[in-house]
Amino acid sequence: MVQPIVDVSPPKWHLGHITWFWEAFILVPHSLGYKVFNPDYNYVFNSYYETIGARVVRTDRGNLSRPSVDEVYAYRRYVDVCNGKTYSRWTRGGIGEAYRTGA
């Protein structure tokens, strides 16, 4: 379902964006062997990180019919599981505090 209102981004886009943020900035650079869920999501869910790549213009986000809400939830589940595994490895390795606090 599209939500063509230029003043706001649709809820599914926000869920995808925060999921993408974890994937792009935590899992990809810090989780050895991590496999990106869908490379196209780097374009779809990037908000303004131009050094990461191209993005959908904010006013066009509501016109996206894909990915579906179910696909965004599947993406979130995948990243949550991978994030949990990475966190577990980090805490066993003694850097859990840095992960929790951002230090």
Side-chain angles (χ1 to χ4, degrees):
M1 171 179 269
V2 296
Q3 179 188 329
I5 300 171
V6 299
D7 297 323
V8 296
S9 296
K12 78 170 181 179
W13 183 89
H14 284 286
L15 180 61
H17 170 68
I18 59 172
T19 304
W20 167 83
F21 187 93
W22 276 96
E23 182 177 64
F25 294 105
I26 301 296
L27 294 172
V28 168
H30 301 292
S31 183
L32 188 62
Y34 177 76
K35 293 184 180 162
V36 172
F37 184 81
N38 183 332
D40 293 336
Y41 289 179
N42 194 63
Y43 173 74
V44 173
F45 295 122
N46 184 357
S47 58
Y48 58 84
Y49 300 94
E50 293 178 358
T51 59
I52 298 295
R55 60 189 169 84
V56 174
V57 177
R58 184 186 57 80
T59 55
D60 290 340
R61 293 176 191 159
N63 294 319
L64 296 171
S65 62
R66 294 284 179 256
S68 68
V69 173
D70 288 341
E71 290 167 324
V72 173
Y73 277 120
Y75 178 38
R76 181 56 186 236
R77 284 189 299 273
Y78 176 81
V79 169
D80 283 348
V81 167
C82 293
N83 190 45
K85 290 176 183 176
T86 298
Y87 178 73
S88 293
R89 282 193 303 271
W90 285 1
T91 55
R92 286 192 308 271
I95 61 171
E97 187 60 27
Y99 178 80
R100 281 191 296 278
T101 64

